[in-house]
Amino acid sequence: MELKSVRDIAQLLDKVKEINRPLFVVAKDVGNDVLATLIYNHQRDIVRASAITVPGFGEFPHDLLSDIALCTSARLFEESDREALQNATIDDLGSATKAILSLTETLIVANAKDPKAMEARIDELTARLNDKKLTQAARTIITDRILRLRGKVAVIWVGGASEVERGEMHDKITDALNAVRGAIESNLLPGGGAALLHATRVLDLVETNNKAEAAGVEAAKKAFKEPLHLLLKNGGYDGPYFAEILLDKYLDNRTGFDVRKGCITDMFDAGVIDSLKVVRTCLEDAVSIAKLILTTEVAIVLEKQYKPSALSKYNFGPF
């Protein structure tokens, strides 16, 4: 339904004010007068209110509103129900644990009061996917609806002994969540620098036409090995030594060195993984910086000599 007049929600605003609850409006369209009224009430703390319009065209907005009404146990008002909306009661409203709004997306966290109806809706949508006449666009929309209905939300409570510790823990968890989102969006790679190390085999196959191109390939190979070298060095191990063992004896592209346990192992089985998107982005940024340095006339660096670790002589795993 499109909210065109303040009269459509005036009575409902008064009832929401009486119970001192916030009001969240979802509609196909919200008129300027209605939006101005909601803003006025919100700014003066009369009724905490916000409103959004559903995106899309055709049947999609109606379907999305129907799904939201099912999740929040609210009544869906059609265009023909405008008089009923003007006389709506608190019982017609649904409820949600939380609603997070931004300029581009909205997250509604709610517990459906009728799980059977929710499962019936999901089964109905799943059955529609079996229709061979369904277009790819319609199939994508139905799949998204199923995912939204089945979606779950986890709440992570972050604590610490001090404000600094809480902030540091919050940043770590945020980085971990972003890495998981990136992995879901792209894919997974063996972590601990193993993916880049095994990628040097591809560089060995690159054909070069001159010394400049050959130097570039060698520089890339050296850079690809550096994450593993640095991790092992920080763990007290000889990075170049174990890197050569991994390249010579392990050709499955999954094997790396687990610094925590001090052994060569399958990185996926060990739970040491990286997001493909993160690794790709790091490479793209590194190449961008390298191109910038190549166009720089003067660069000053400090040369450091690598010293093998005293632990290099020990045997760490099956070679």
Side-chain angles (χ1 to χ4, degrees), residues 123-170:
D123 292 341
E124 175 191 348
L125 294 174
T126 304
R128 290 175 58 185
L129 289 176
N130 298 326
D131 186 358
K132 296 181 179 180
K133 297 181 180 180
L134 204 63
T135 64
Q136 185 59 39
R139 191 177 301 275
T140 301
I141 291 175
I142 294 175
T143 303
D144 289 342
R145 290 179 62 191
I146 294 174
L147 293 176
R148 289 191 183 99
L149 292 174
R150 284 180 174 170
K152 305 295 182 182
V153 176
V155 179
I156 302 175
W157 296 91
V158 181
S162 64
E163 186 67 29
V164 175
E165 184 179 352
R166 286 194 295 271
E168 181 181 2
M169 185 62 66
H170 181 275

Side-chain angles (χ1 to χ4, degrees), residues 206-217:
V206 176
E207 297 181 359
T208 58
N209 298 320
N210 50 57
K211 292 183 178 180
E213 292 182 359
V217 172

